[in-house]
């Protein structure tokens, strides 16, 4: 199944408003990158600009830690397990 990168209208407001989509993209992106031995993931795209927000491998752990805090706060523990497994693979 091909991963779909979320497309947003703008940078600041919309990304903070759509944390769930951003973190979901992060988890799927890191998971794929680990399997394919990539050093960079595309997190999301800014609509009609051709600009992608990316996350490089050295930043994955910190980003996954933020995602973990988010999913703990929303009590989505299955996602927490996925994130912990990804962190252990890094």
């Amino acid at each position: 199944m091909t991963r779909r990168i979320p497309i947003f209208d703008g940078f600041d407001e919309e990304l903070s408003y759509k944390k769930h989509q951003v973190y979901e993209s992060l988890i799927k992106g890191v998971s794929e990158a680990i399997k394919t031995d990539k050093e960079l993931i595309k997190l999301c795209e800014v609509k009609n600009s051709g600009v992608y927000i990316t996350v490089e491998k050295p930043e994955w752990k910190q980003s996954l830690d933020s995602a973990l805090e988010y999913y703990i706060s929303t009590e989505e523990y299955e996602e927490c397990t996925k994130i912990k497994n990804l962190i252990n693979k890094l």
Side-chain angles (χ1 to χ4, degrees), residues 72-86:
I72 288 171
S73 72
T74 59
E75 298 182 1
E76 295 179 58
Y77 300 116
E78 284 184 32
E79 294 300 314
C80 294
T81 302
K82 286 182 195 176
I83 294 167
K84 286 184 178 186
N85 289 336
L86 285 175

Side-chain angles (χ1 to χ4, degrees), residues 15-49:
L15 288 182
S16 62
Y17 181 71
K18 296 193 175 191
K19 280 185 179 182
H20 191 85
Q21 257 187 302
V22 172
Y23 286 139
E24 187 177 282
S25 179
L26 173 73
I27 293 164
K28 289 179 181 177
V30 170
S31 180
E32 280 183 15
I34 288 171
K35 290 176 187 172
T36 58
D37 200 32
K38 293 189 178 177
E39 299 288 318
L40 176 88
I41 64 164
K42 291 178 181 176
L43 189 61
C44 58
E45 180 182 359
V46 179
K47 189 175 187 177
N48 298 324
S49 71

Side-chain angles (χ1 to χ4, degrees), residues 49-65:
S49 71
V51 174
Y52 290 92
I53 297 175
T54 60
V55 183
E56 294 182 17
K57 191 171 186 174
E59 301 167 345
W60 292 353
K61 184 181 180 318
Q62 182 180 352
S63 299
L64 289 169
D65 286 338

